[in-house]
Structures are given as structure tokens and as C-alpha cells.
Amino acid sequence: MVKKTQQNEKTGQSRHTDAVDEVLAQWQRERPDLDLVTMGVFGRLGQLSLLLAPALDEVFTRHGLQSGEFDVLAALRRSGPPYTLIPSVLAKTLMLSRAGMTNRLDRLEAAGLVERTLDPADRRSFRVSLTDRGYEVVDAAVTDHVANENRLLASLTPEERETLHRALRGLLRAVG
């Protein structure tokens, strides 16, 4: 994304522009009747998603994980001792189908990061637990992940981060 600097005709101050600003300017010229602020928000959210995903995935790859596998390990880790959940709870927590959850669990079990055992309360079901190795991997990965996220948001002040955090929470509440 190429950044350009433009001077505001009203204030005389310069501001950085990007590809989204160019799209918005074109639409403003063609359709001045539209309020395009929301288009800018969604355009930037989309670009951020595309730009941030590889930077986030790189951390997981360094730990031998895919992002979805990290999500499973993280859900187990943050559940607290004994770091065990049933697959349906994991699937619901991660908003996955049961088939998608099974595929992730198969890969994690093959890697020795989780184990599945019969549920003593319901012998038709089983429980998924972090192994000692899974615990070590997810703790190291989450430490690096948080450091990476902080690095990626370092250009924002703490106040801007908090404002963004609150705004996105409100948007998710309204949409979800």
C-alpha cells in the first residue's frame, strides 16, 4: 500500500493518504450524495486483515503450528487446570463444525500436543487434554504472539489502542 501526502485545502495541514482514500475520493467525485466513512472503515479493516494475517501466522509457524491449531491449544490452556475440554465445547468456543474440529484434533494428537481419552461420565464421548508438550508449545507461542501483536500495534498510543478496542467490541456486539 503506497502512502501519499496530501495537503488539506481547508486547514493547510498535510495528511497521509492510502489506497482506500483514493477509492473514497473517486466515489466522492462520482457519488457525492453518499456518506463514505463506513466504506473507508470496511476497506481498511479488509486491508488490515490481509496485511496482518501473514505477520500473525509467522509466529505460529515458528512454533510448528497453524493458526487454527494454536486456537485449539489456546482454548485448552486458558480453560485452566486440568486443561481438558470436550470436543463439542471446543468447536462451539472456536465457532467450528465438529468435522473441522476433528481434523484439527487429529493433527494435534499426531503431533503429541493433545490427547483424547474416554469421558468417564459418558463413555460415548471423549475429552481432549493438553499434553505436557502441548502446554509448553502453547505457552511459548502465546508469549511470542502477544509480543508480536504489541509490535504490530506499536504505532498507536495506549489511548488509541483502548479506543480501538472499545469500538471493535461495540461493533462486534452490534453485529454478532
Side-chain angles (χ1 to χ4, degrees), residues 37-135:
V37 171
T38 54
M39 183 183 281
V41 169
F42 281 97
R44 286 190 172 88
L45 286 173
Q47 281 194 334
L48 279 170
S49 179
L50 291 173
L51 292 169
L52 294 175
L56 296 171
D57 288 344
E58 185 275 327
V59 170
F60 305 134
T61 300
R62 232 183 309 135
H63 291 277
L65 300 170
Q66 297 174 15
S67 64
E69 294 167 345
F70 170 80
D71 291 342
V72 172
L73 296 176
L76 289 166
R77 174 64 174 91
R78 68 177 183 262
S79 72
Y83 312 111
T84 301
L85 295 170
I86 59 173
S88 60
V89 169
L90 276 169
K92 183 178 177 184
T93 299
L94 300 177
M95 296 179 280
L96 276 177
S97 69
R98 290 184 187 220
M101 178 56 59
T102 298
N103 289 334
R104 287 185 189 178
L105 293 176
D106 288 345
R107 289 192 308 267
L108 290 167
E109 188 172 41
L113 302 176
V114 300
E115 62 182 2
R116 292 184 264 202
T117 56
L118 285 176
D119 184 343
D122 180 0
R123 302 225 7 117
R124 294 169 297 160
S125 184
F126 58 92
R127 295 175 180 228
V128 179
S129 302
L130 278 178
T131 62
D132 291 342
R133 174 83 179 117
Y135 183 96

Side-chain angles (χ1 to χ4, degrees), residues 136-161:
E136 291 170 10
V137 168
V138 73
D139 261 20
V142 77
T143 298
D144 290 349
H145 178 56
V146 171
N148 188 41
E149 289 177 325
N150 283 318
R151 179 187 62 79
L152 291 168
L153 292 183
S155 65
L156 301 178
T157 67
E159 295 79 19
E160 289 170 328
R161 289 181 193 196

